[in-house]
Amino acid sequence: MPHLSIEYSPGLEARADMRALCEALHGAMVAAGIFPLAGIRVRAHKADIAIVADGLAENDFCAMTLSVGAGRSTEALKAAGDSIFAAAREALADPLSTPHFALSLEIRQIDPELSWKATPIHSRLSKERA
């Protein structure tokens, strides 16, 4: 269950290729080597309304939250987070070069006792790789 949710301000679409960002982040998650491919999800949602910092129209943000199941060490998650954040920084280099952009990443571990799943994708990918 490595699910990366991206929330971003409406103006960011004019400054960055959001599809390319999602593809770069997916690639970084796969390359991290600690997440099962069948569980990886990357999804981006534009905020309908956003007031960023001092409210200037040119201000944009991209807030990423990676939710993962328990069982990985802090060191492994930190290394994966470093790689994912580096991929985001590269994909968002243009907005980051301005004083009107905020980028963040947070990793959250999900308590397995409080998480329910029904994902036949796992079975399908396991059979395809065998």
Side-chain angles (χ1 to χ4, degrees):
M1 148 173 243
H3 293 196
L4 182 61
S5 295
I6 305 160
E7 181 182 14
Y8 62 94
S9 55
L12 189 56
E13 287 182 333
R15 300 171 66 190
D17 182 338
M18 299 309 292
R19 175 74 188 188
L21 170 64
C22 290
E23 290 171 354
L25 296 172
H26 181 272
M29 291 175 70
V30 170
I34 64 168
F35 304 122
L37 181 61
I40 294 175
R41 312 280 188 277
V42 177
R43 53 187 172 260
H45 305 278
K46 177 174 59 176
D48 291 331
I49 300 169
I51 301 170
V52 181
D54 56 356
L56 295 177
E58 60 267 32
N59 290 346
D60 285 308
F61 76 90
C62 180
M64 303 178 293
T65 303
L66 177 58
S67 299
V68 300
R72 296 171 188 90
S73 70
T74 299
E75 294 78 19
L77 288 173
K78 170 108 175 55
D82 286 343
S83 295
I84 293 165
F85 198 70
R89 289 179 62 107
E90 184 175 329
L92 297 169
D94 286 344
L96 278 168
S97 70
T98 74
H100 299 281
F101 185 62
L103 175 63
S104 63
L105 169 64
E106 176 183 12
I107 298 177
R108 296 180 184 168
Q109 285 190 344
I110 305 299
D111 183 334
E113 300 270 333
L114 302 173
S115 180
W116 296 261
K117 297 173 190 67
T119 55
I121 289 174
H122 286 274
S123 295
R124 179 181 56 83
L125 286 179
S126 294
K127 290 175 189 169
E128 287 176 10
R129 291 181 177 256

